[in-house]
């Protein structure tokens, strides 16, 4: 019988270093012989990437918080069914750049959408799927925004004020504190090499099931 794969998600504010860490972590896991699928949210499927283009389009500044929330979960519902669940069932590990915690942080913390509504959508869209491990890259908002600056035109969410991103950060930290068994909070103000090492250390316990 195939052993189910592990599901790892990366979370954090703007410019936290998720993409940088993903490259290093992916290389580490492949070197350990893990069969891996890497994906992202919003996006990761043809439908999800089309939704991503919509939710990040700066021209669509009139989008309501409700519409934004539903679009994030539409992308997620597709990703779970088309990509994540099949991969895990085949024994592959899945590395995902953001997942449901991002909706609690951005739409819940940032936009003030009610948590119960997000939880209801999560149950529906993910069918109970939760990460085995979530790496939260935590750093001050100003540091992340400075890192992300100069990448060209800001997307529809990046144009939000610092106060929005402070609420996002607080919501992420609250979720990590509420679920310490699933989350590992990594100080993302350290060097890329130190952040990668912390992530590698955090994945160690997942290898029990790998031959
Ligand atoms: N969103 C949402 O609202 N609700 C949801 O449910 C979901 C998402 C799933 C797109 O996400 C947007 O969607 C996002 C949340 C929202 N909006 N915002 N803001 P995304 O993950 O695709 O985009 P992002 O958050 O804007 O990621 P990013 O800014 O591309 O950052 P990153 O991937 O975390 O960082 P990076 O590209 O690795 O690094 C940024 C720069 O810092 C780069 O120059 C690196 O070389 C540098 N860097 C990286 N690590 C370090 C360290 N350790 N030290 C110094 N410099 C570093």
């Amino acid at each position: 019988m195939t052993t189910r794969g592990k599901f790892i998600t990366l979370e954090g504010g703007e410019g936290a270093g998720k993409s940088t860490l993903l490259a290093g972590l992916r290389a580490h896991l492949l070197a350990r012989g893990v069969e891996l699928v890497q994906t992202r949210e919003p996006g990761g499927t043809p439908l999800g990437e089309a939704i991503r283009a919509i939710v990040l389009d700066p021209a669509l500044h009139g989008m309501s918080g409700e519409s934004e929330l539903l679009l994030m979960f539409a992308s997620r519902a597709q990703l779970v069914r088309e990509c994540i669940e099949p991969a895990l069932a085949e024994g592959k590990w899945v590395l995902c750049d953001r997942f449901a915690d991002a909706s609690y942080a951005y739409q819940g913390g940032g936009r003030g959408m009610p948590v119960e509504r997000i939880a209801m959508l999560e149950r529906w869209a993910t069918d109970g799927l939760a990460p085995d491990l979530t790496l939260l890259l935590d750093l001050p908002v100003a540091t992340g925004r400075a890192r992300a600056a100069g990448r060209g035109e800001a997307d529809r969410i990046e144009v939000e004020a610092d106060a929005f991103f402070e609420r996002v950060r607080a919501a992420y930290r609250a979720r990590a504190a509420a679920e310490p068994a699933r989350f590992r909070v990594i100080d993302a103000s350290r060097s890329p090499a130190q952040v990668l090492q912390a992530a590698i250390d955090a994945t160690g316990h997942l290898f029990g099931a790998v031959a």
Side-chain angles (χ1 to χ4, degrees):
M1 205 183 77
T2 309
T3 305
R4 188 174 163 85
K6 301 292 182 188
F7 181 27
I8 303 173
T9 57
L10 268 68
E11 300 281 359
E14 191 191 358
K18 293 178 289 89
S19 309
T20 305
L21 173 59
L22 268 167
L25 191 55
R26 175 191 170 85
H28 166 78
L29 294 173
L30 289 173
R32 288 203 61 167
V34 172
E35 266 201 90
L36 199 63
V37 170
Q38 184 180 328
T39 189
R40 68 172 180 179
E41 282 205 345
T45 64
L47 175 63
E49 291 297 325
I51 292 172
R52 181 183 180 92
I54 292 169
V55 292
L56 299 183
D57 184 350
L60 299 177
H61 43 75
M63 187 182 297
S64 70
E66 287 80 3
S67 302
E68 183 181 88
L69 178 64
L70 288 165
L71 285 166
M72 295 298 178
F73 273 101
S75 172
R76 185 162 301 132
Q78 189 68 25
L79 186 69
V80 166
R81 285 156 185 79
E82 187 175 329
C83 170
I84 300 177
E85 266 301 343
L88 294 174
E90 286 173 15
K92 295 175 182 155
W93 289 30
V94 176
L95 256 186
C96 192
D97 189 343
R98 299 193 186 280
F99 194 60
D101 295 302
S103 294
Y104 286 93
Y106 283 82
Q107 282 67 53
R111 303 264 189 243
M113 293 286 116
V115 170
E116 317 78 63
R117 202 166 285 173
I118 301 173
M120 185 271 286
L121 287 171
E122 183 185 13
R123 283 193 295 277
W124 189 25
T126 68
D127 219 5
L129 175 70
D132 296 292
L133 172 67
T134 297
L135 301 171
L136 173 57
L137 300 191
D138 181 59
L139 87 170
V141 169
T143 311
R145 300 204 89 176
R147 283 185 191 170
R151 284 190 304 195
E153 189 190 9
D155 68 37
R156 197 183 54 80
I157 296 175
E158 286 168 346
V159 298
E160 290 294 337
D162 284 353
F164 173 91
F165 292 101
E166 293 290 0
R167 293 195 298 276
V168 168
R169 185 184 186 199
Y172 266 135
R173 287 159 67 109
R175 286 189 69 71
E179 279 192 72
R182 172 167 70 88
F183 275 91
R184 293 291 181 279
V185 182
I186 295 176
D187 176 358
S189 64
R190 292 177 293 170
S191 72
Q194 287 173 315
V195 170
L196 174 59
Q197 190 55 54
I200 289 172
D201 293 346
T203 58
H205 70 287
L206 298 177
F207 281 92
V210 174

